[in-house]
Amino acid sequence: MKPQGISSLVDQQQLSEKTQIEPFSCNLKYRLTQNPNVARVRAIDATMQMLRKRLGCTLTKPYSTWIHNNFSQVIETLDEIKFYPYPPKIQQKLDHLKEKNAKVTEKYLLDQKRESQAKKVPEKPQESPQQNNVDLTRLPLRDQHPGVVTWAKIAGHNWWPAMIIDYRDCCMREPSFGCQWIMWYGDYKLSEVHHQLFLRFEKGIEKLRDYINNTKKHAYLVGVLQASKDHCSRFGCATDDWTLADAFKYFSQANRPARQDPPRKGDSVKIYDKYSTHIVKKLNELKNNPNIDDQRADDIKSSDDLRSVISGQTPLESLCLKCLKTPKDATEAHPFFEGSLCKDCSEQYKPCMFVFGNDAKCFYCTVCASSGTVIICDNEDCPRVYCTACMKHLLCPTTYDEVLQEDPWECFLCKSSSGSSSSTVVKPRPSWKDKIIDMFRTNCNSKVRVTEHSDVKRKIRVLSLFDGLSTGLLVLQKLSLVVDVYYASEIDSDALMVSASHFGDRIVQLGDVRDITKEKIKEIGPIDLLIGGSPCNDLSLANPARLGLYDPRGTGVLFFEYCRIMKLVKRINSGRRLFWMYENVASMPSEYRLEINKHLGQEPDVIDSADFSPQHRLRLYWHNLPIEPHFLSFQGEQDVQEFLTPHCQRYALVKKIRTVTTKVNSLKQGKLALKPILMKDESDSLWITELEEIFGFPRHYTDVKNLSATKRQRLIGKSWSVQTLTAILRPLCPFFECNSIDTN
């Protein structure tokens, strides 16, 4: 593109690999008269309007005829027309791209510095005064709380005073793994800084005293003074009339009081409890003007179908809230808000609703599943976020500015019980908890919940297929259910060894699931509980080489073994009630899920283990147990830090880890695949004993037969979450005999 010229109309299908730009006049008639797509129509219209304004002619259609009538003799001169200064829209877009590029460049330079630091790992002396001094100067991760005044650094710049900010308080996305959001004193801009690039404020001001005295940067000096005031005011100092000389005098006092951390207010969700008055003022200015997603805002404003809904001509339930069109084909209800999702949008929307960050907040907008600048519900138990475009134009068009000022702010779903504003275009569903489960069902009335139970309690007889580490038996014991007999089908030798070491002959092994015959079922029957989850690697979208449900070379066909055995058990039981549960991965294609629905005659419940443990592990559960997922007793307050080995100076960089699989790298977090633990200022992986506790197993549960850490992780990665399975099977307690000890 010419830097000061008109954009060339480029038909990419007509161009060779070496020809990406052609003069505007080249092949012009063909390109103006062909049947282009919508984006090219808009581009052509904008270009013609620019020509009209420059040449002062009346514009008519078709454009090719207009150009021929006015410029047939001098058409080549069109290539020489230049527009500078740029038109307002072009200039606005260039400014936006320049700002975006500056942020990307800054992040790239920081990443490059981290990589270079990682490659240069000097051999550490066992003990040295210099090393101790570094430890005292740096601000350790455990002290990096919102509201702490510190010194921070990014590549190419000097140390600069800053305050650590919670990303929810500055309308920014969750920081990258291992980083913190900070607000610089002086210019009050926001940056993302790695946790290793912070200094204690009192140590940093001593280290940088000469630089501060000699610098001519006015913003820097103003920032240092304000940071000093904010820092010292928390220790009871009257700093209103301070100058830099007063700050230096305070920090140079040999007999000044020993540092005492002020009372922590970081647990409060109110920004005026976490930050100084000066920073709160700057944060409120940011919250008043968050970035609006231009593309989503334009889609909302240009939607004719949405205007038809607002005017009352079309019912809201017929409008797809993602593409903002009224589809002619069948739709399904939007799970959270009144409205629908067309087939294509539904397939894009569903996976986005279960992509959570390290703080258990969703990455995508609850209305349209878009990313970018989002506004986050301050309710700790609510994972929902909302893009600024949907907030401003759909959810609270008349109260948008007031909503941004609310602190703390509870979202529309948390407030749905108390009603919503009449000015809201899109309203939350009162029954959204049911709808989110129904997203994975094709027949919402298919669930038959068992509620009645006999006064005579018998011991439970269990058959566990694909038994793994015998998680089922461990859970039944935790629930104090008296197990009459526990039959298991498993072929992994390491898993069998772990089960045998803990349960011995309390488990009756049946071998390969494919070898369980009708005669064997007659021999072991009747069965009260049938559980199992066949291998998911050939069903998961994460595996591009998956073989699916029917390929005999894969493990997906093992699902049909579960179906076969369930039918045999029902026949042998002769009317005796059979509880059953089948589990598999949630990220399977819809056709697999619908096929499983058909064979099991049931729809799945979607349950995430993050509600019960510090791990995101989203799974589908088909069952006939007397439960509703949103009535389960959640324990969402658990995080990784609670399960780390004590007394070892281990600190978790995440609250909840992503799904652990059989792959070693699944223990690493984020796009950069970094280790989630900091131990003595060095990155470290989760220890296997800690991973066992995160899954709900006792420590050293898999520590048998001198198994390697890799093999132990592989066994755990294929297992169920003990905490989740405990919540699911707990409703069985009224139906069967329990030990006298009440475990509740």
Side-chain angles (χ1 to χ4, degrees):
M1 181 182 291
K2 299 177 182 178
Q4 297 180 7
I6 191 168
S7 301
S8 300
L9 294 178
V10 180
D11 184 348
Q12 295 182 355
Q13 295 180 353
Q14 296 287 322
L15 300 180
S16 65
E17 294 178 358
K18 297 182 179 179
T19 310
Q20 297 302 316
I21 293 181
E22 292 183 348
F24 180 75
S25 61
C26 182
N27 206 12
L28 185 59
K29 181 177 180 180
Y30 169 73
R31 288 172 177 161
L32 292 178
T33 56
Q34 65 173 320
N35 185 22
N37 57 36
V38 176
R40 293 192 74 248
V41 168
R42 292 178 180 174
I44 291 171
D45 288 343
T47 305
M48 293 299 107
Q49 290 293 343
M50 289 166 59
L51 278 174
R52 181 190 64 78
K53 290 180 181 178
R54 171 58 64 92
L55 302 176
C57 301
T58 301
L59 181 62
T60 60
K61 288 188 177 182
Y63 295 139
S64 58
T65 303
W66 177 72
I67 289 180
H68 176 75
N69 292 338
N70 292 277
F71 310 103
S72 59
Q73 302 300 323
V74 289
I75 192 169
E76 290 79 7
T77 60
L78 292 176
D79 300 332
E80 306 302 323
I81 297 177
K82 295 180 172 59
F83 293 84
Y84 193 80
Y86 301 119
K89 286 189 176 180
I90 299 294
Q91 186 63 53
Q92 182 181 3
K93 185 66 175 177
L94 286 173
D95 293 341
H96 174 72
L97 291 174
K98 185 186 296 184
E99 181 181 354
K100 185 177 180 180
N101 186 56
K103 293 180 181 178
V104 173
T105 302
E106 178 182 311
K107 184 178 184 301
Y108 172 77
L109 293 174
L110 182 58
D111 291 342
Q112 291 293 98
K113 182 170 183 180
R114 289 181 202 157
E115 290 180 6
S116 63
Q117 289 176 342
K119 293 177 181 177
K120 301 175 183 178
V121 182
E123 185 176 349
K124 290 188 175 182
Q126 293 183 353
E127 198 70 43
S128 69
Q130 184 179 3
Q131 183 68 30
N132 289 338
N133 182 59
V134 171
D135 290 340
L136 291 174
T137 303
R138 281 182 50 191
L139 181 68
L141 179 66
R142 62 178 177 273
D143 294 335
Q144 294 177 19
H145 306 298
V148 171
V149 181
T150 181
W151 294 86
K153 182 175 174 58
I154 57 177
H157 296 270
N158 194 18
W159 290 98
W160 198 287
M163 179 176 282
I164 298 175
I165 304 293
D166 189 317
Y167 69 98
R168 290 167 287 194
D169 296 326
C170 57
C171 296
M172 301 300 289
R173 58 166 174 77
E174 183 184 4
S176 301
F177 179 78
C179 295
Q180 304 276 14
W181 279 108
I182 56 100
M183 176 175 275
W184 303 104
Y185 281 95
D187 60 6
Y188 300 99
K189 294 183 178 180
L190 298 167
S191 292
E192 198 177 17
V193 178
H194 193 265
H195 69 86
Q196 294 179 334
L197 299 177
F198 289 100
L199 298 180
R200 295 183 185 274
F201 187 78
E202 64 274 15
K203 296 293 182 181
I205 202 168
E206 294 173 6
K207 179 179 179 179
L208 297 168
R209 183 165 185 168
D210 291 340
Y211 177 82
I212 297 170
N213 285 328
N214 295 323
T215 187
K216 302 297 183 182
K217 298 177 181 177
H218 178 71
Y220 186 83
L221 296 174
V222 171
V224 171
L225 176 58
Q226 187 60 52
S228 301
K229 289 182 176 182
D230 287 351
H231 176 79
C232 297
S233 62
R234 291 201 168 187
F235 298 97
C237 300
T239 61
D240 292 343
D241 300 324
W242 268 22
T243 63
L244 270 177
D246 296 319
F248 285 135
K249 180 179 179 182
Y250 174 83
F251 286 109
S252 62
Q253 288 178 3
N255 59 347
R256 77 171 186 265
R259 172 187 170 93
Q260 294 180 353
D261 290 333
R264 277 194 59 190
K265 298 182 180 179
D267 294 334
S268 172
V269 297
K270 298 181 179 180
I271 61 174
Y272 49 78
D273 283 342
K274 290 185 281 188
Y275 312 113
S276 66
T277 304
H278 191 72
I279 294 296
V280 167
K281 179 181 177 182
K282 298 297 180 181
L283 285 174
N284 283 333
E285 292 176 4
L286 275 176
K287 292 182 72 174
N288 287 338
N289 297 289
N291 295 327
I292 304 294
D293 188 318
D294 293 334
Q295 184 60 52
R296 177 65 176 172
D298 289 344
D299 291 343
I300 294 173
K301 293 176 182 178
S302 61
S303 173
D304 293 333
D305 291 337
L306 177 60
R307 283 195 290 270
S308 177
V309 168
I310 295 174
S311 64
Q313 299 175 8
T314 307
L316 178 58
E317 285 293 349
S318 64
L319 179 72
C320 175
L321 297 186
K322 182 168 172 59
C323 66
L324 299 173
K325 297 178 181 178
T326 304
K328 297 180 181 179
D329 300 328
T331 62
E332 57 182 274
H334 192 288
F336 296 104
F337 290 88
E338 294 178 3
S340 65
L341 291 169
C342 64
K343 182 179 179 181
D344 292 338
C345 290
S346 177
E347 292 303 317
Q348 300 172 29
Y349 181 90
K350 288 178 182 178
C352 296
M353 286 302 95
F354 305 106
V355 180
F356 299 108
N358 296 327
D359 64 342
K361 296 291 184 180
C362 189
F363 277 140
Y364 298 95
C365 173
T366 304
V367 178
C368 66
S370 65
S371 56
T373 303
V374 294
I375 297 175
I376 301 170
C377 180
D378 284 323
N379 187 340
E380 291 294 333
D381 296 328
C382 178
R384 298 293 136 215
V385 303
Y386 305 84
C387 73
T388 48
C390 285
M391 286 281 289
K392 185 169 185 178
H393 300 291
L394 294 180
L395 296 172
C396 48
T398 60
T399 59
Y400 179 68
D401 294 333
E402 289 82 354
V403 167
L404 294 179
Q405 291 294 320
E406 289 186 32
D407 184 29
W409 176 70
E410 288 190 345
C411 76
F412 310 93
L413 301 180
C414 296
K415 291 181 177 179
S416 60
S417 59
S418 58
S420 57
S421 171
S422 58
S423 62
T424 299
V425 178
V426 177
K427 296 180 174 60
R429 294 186 185 278
S431 59
W432 64 267
K433 291 184 178 180
D434 294 327
K435 290 292 183 182
I436 190 65
I437 298 170
D438 293 341
M439 284 178 67
F440 290 90
R441 299 180 183 170
T442 54
N443 177 9
C444 300
N445 297 321
S446 65
K447 284 286 182 183
V448 179
R449 302 297 184 187
V450 181
T451 55
E452 73 284 352
H453 51 82
S454 172
D455 293 334
V456 179
K457 308 294 177 62
R458 60 172 178 266
K459 299 177 182 179
I460 189 170
R461 298 175 61 86
V462 184
L463 172 56
S464 174
L465 306 179
F466 319 104
D467 186 55
L469 299 179
S470 298
T471 312
L473 181 55
L474 180 65
V475 166
L476 294 173
Q477 289 185 343
K478 287 173 67 70
L479 293 172
S480 295
L481 283 163
V482 180
V483 179
D484 183 15
V485 62
Y486 187 92
Y487 296 106
S489 172
E490 180 56 58
I491 59 173
D492 187 294
S493 59
D494 292 334
L496 289 169
M497 181 59 67
V498 172
S499 297
S501 66
H502 291 287
F503 301 109
D505 57 4
R506 281 176 289 178
I507 298 178
V508 180
Q509 294 291 346
L510 302 180
D512 195 325
V513 67
R514 291 166 289 192
D515 297 333
I516 299 178
T517 62
K518 179 180 179 180
E519 289 71 26
K520 174 59 71 173
I521 296 297
K522 284 184 178 180
E523 178 184 333
I524 67 175
I527 298 296
D528 298 308
L529 175 64
L530 174 66
I531 56 176
S534 58
C536 65
N537 52 304
D538 278 321
L539 301 179
S540 174
L541 286 169
N543 178 16
R546 59 186 178 276
L547 298 177
L549 272 174
Y550 293 102
D551 196 318
R553 297 171 298 170
T555 57
V557 295
L558 293 176
F559 159 71
F560 297 103
E561 295 297 327
Y562 181 94
C563 295
R564 177 181 66 86
I565 291 174
M566 185 168 70
K567 291 178 182 178
L568 290 175
V569 170
K570 287 182 176 179
R571 195 176 306 159
I572 298 300
N573 270 14
S574 299
R576 178 165 170 162
R577 175 187 293 156
L578 172 68
F579 290 103
W580 60 271
M581 184 200 74
Y582 175 78
E583 172 267 353
N584 217 299
V585 66
S587 60
M588 65 171 64
S590 296
E591 58 266 28
Y592 297 168
R593 171 172 51 83
L594 295 175
E595 192 68 16
I596 294 175
N597 291 353
K598 184 175 70 175
H599 283 83
L600 293 179
Q602 197 63 275
E603 306 280 356
D605 287 330
V606 55
I607 301 176
D608 188 356
S609 294
D611 292 326
F612 313 95
S613 69
Q615 177 192 193
H616 288 292
R617 196 173 184 83
L618 194 71
R619 292 294 184 265
L620 298 178
Y621 295 87
W622 290 261
H623 63 87
N624 68 343
L625 301 171
I627 65 169
E628 289 292 348
H630 50 266
F631 290 146
L632 296 176
S633 54
F634 295 157
Q635 300 174 10
E637 70 278 0
Q638 291 186 343
D639 57 43
V640 175
Q641 186 65 49
E642 300 176 36
F643 294 86
L644 299 185
T645 305
H647 315 305
C648 293
Q649 300 182 35
R650 291 173 63 76
Y651 298 96
L653 297 176
V654 294
K655 290 185 177 181
K656 295 183 184 291
I657 60 174
R658 68 177 187 175
T659 302
V660 177
T661 67
T662 56
K663 296 180 180 179
V664 175
N665 282 340
S666 66
L667 286 177
K668 297 181 180 180
Q669 308 294 305
K671 294 181 180 179
L672 299 179
L674 300 177
K675 296 177 180 179
I677 307 301
L678 193 68
M679 180 175 176
K680 298 180 179 178
D681 290 337
E682 297 290 337
S683 59
D684 193 14
S685 293
L686 278 168
W687 294 347
I688 296 300
T689 50
E690 297 166 341
L691 185 62
E692 288 169 332
E693 287 200 327
I694 287 174
F695 268 79
F697 295 108
R699 285 202 167 212
H700 303 288
Y701 185 82
T702 59
D703 190 8
V704 300
K705 196 184 173 183
N706 292 327
L707 290 178
S708 65
T710 302
K711 287 187 175 182
R712 291 172 66 185
Q713 183 194 324
R714 187 178 296 119
L715 290 174
I716 297 171
K718 292 189 291 186
S719 180
W720 284 329
S721 163
V722 173
Q723 301 97 318
T724 307
L725 192 61
T726 301
I728 293 173
L729 297 184
R730 188 181 299 277
L732 292 178
C733 292
F735 296 88
F736 299 98
E737 181 181 344
C738 294
N739 290 325
S740 57
I741 300 176
D742 182 13
T743 60
N744 266 341

